Amino acid sequence: MGRVGVLLLNLGGPEQLQDVRPFLYNLFSDPEIIRLPFAWMQKPLAWMISTLRYQKSQENYKAIGGGSPLRRITEEQAIALQGSLQEKGHDIRVYVGMRYWNPFTEEAVAKIKRDQIEELVILPLYPQFSISTSGSSFRVLEKLWEQDPSLQKVDYTVIPSWYNRPGYLQAMTELIEQEIEHCDHPEQVQIFFSAHGVPVSYVEEAGDPYRDEIEGCTAAIMQTLNRPNPHVLAYQSRVGPVEWLKPYTDEVILELAKEGVKELVVVPISFVSEHIETLEEIDMEYRELAEEAGIEKFNRVPALNTHPVFINDLAEMVIEALNAPNIKFSDVAHPGKKTKMYPQESWEWGLTTTAEVWNGRLAMLGMIGILIEIMTGQGPLHFIGLL
């Protein structure tokens, strides 16, 4: 075995308030976020959004301490994973590549080339696969590999998703158990799984397995937990004019309050690191909503971060991937479907995080709608403030 590496993939986030505006610019310069009919429109629109909205977004980051902890936590996970691999007798270097902020995926790949890595495991820190998260990063890497002959010599394999791993499930249940035991009525408390949403079209038209994997993950956690508590699954962070996966987290909170539920244990099921959507959206926005609706106790299960059982399972996953047949970017298909990783969607109006096809006759109408939402602070502006 030659030099071996692991590339951890994540979204990234602004570490300081002055990073927010360039972070937003990077985000919306990417056609995976907004697909426009003309390429020349991408950067001007990204500049407009980042200019108009960065101050509002900065307020959200001020509320959690002035910046996103995502890079720090991801690098801590990388260090812990490398240590776990060494304890298992594997001298493997771990790299971190972020999609929209430092250290960028391209920077991580440059380090991998510099270190002359010969075998590489590509591991997204998203338990469930979606074309908008893991798929988006895979596309960037696929292009890098296609353009660089030296990378084509690297024997790589991709881990598409790992939501049903026993170690991951065990770590999640341990954290849930700890939170439940602090409740007034542990056996009756409502368990509330909140996952990041995606547009319905991803699932129903593009064949994204995300919903199936989220539902399967929820069921597997409850089976591992083996408790009689009622539970519910909902989706947060919906944005824009298109329909997103339902039910929505905020609406379910209000429904539970009407039913007389007084205590919740909220589980951020699609996040393995603390960041803006756990620390601000869940801990502040949803907590306030719940309390105003009459829910007296709002308990939130912490993200896995560097939970030892979780890190150990990541290490086992890497070792297993090295000993299994390689999975290439072009080979990553949706479970139970014949659709490839980047299916071509039918035209659809709105903001997405994957490549949409815009109907030319409605392109300018779409642009007008986006600009109206930017100026009024509705729709995608909510998204901008939460990333």
Side-chain angles (χ1 to χ4, degrees), residues 231-252:
H231 73 280
V232 65
L233 168 65
Y235 296 90
Q236 65 183 84
S237 310
R238 71 185 187 275
V239 300
V242 297
E243 182 182 4
W244 283 52
L245 293 181
K246 295 180 179 181
Y248 300 138
T249 294
D250 54 349
E251 294 180 357
V252 174

Side-chain angles (χ1 to χ4, degrees), residues 101-158:
W101 198 244
N102 299 309
F104 292 102
T105 303
E106 293 83 354
E107 297 175 47
V109 170
K111 291 181 180 178
I112 288 168
K113 290 173 58 179
R114 179 200 63 194
D115 294 341
Q116 299 180 329
I117 295 298
E118 299 172 55
E119 293 187 70
L120 181 67
V121 176
I122 299 171
L123 174 56
L125 288 175
Y126 311 105
Q128 307 85 12
F129 178 91
S130 174
I131 56 179
S132 63
T133 52
S134 303
S136 178
S137 290
F138 291 162
R139 175 174 284 190
V140 170
L141 289 166
E142 186 174 38
K143 290 180 180 178
L144 292 175
W145 251 254
E146 290 174 350
Q147 296 168 0
D148 191 336
S150 64
L151 287 175
Q152 295 167 17
K153 299 176 182 178
V154 178
D155 184 21
Y156 77 87
T157 187
V158 169

Side-chain angles (χ1 to χ4, degrees), residues 365-378:
L365 177 61
M367 277 295 298
I368 292 171
I370 291 173
L371 293 176
I372 290 174
E373 293 196 39
I374 291 171
M375 299 305 296
T376 61
Q378 301 300 315

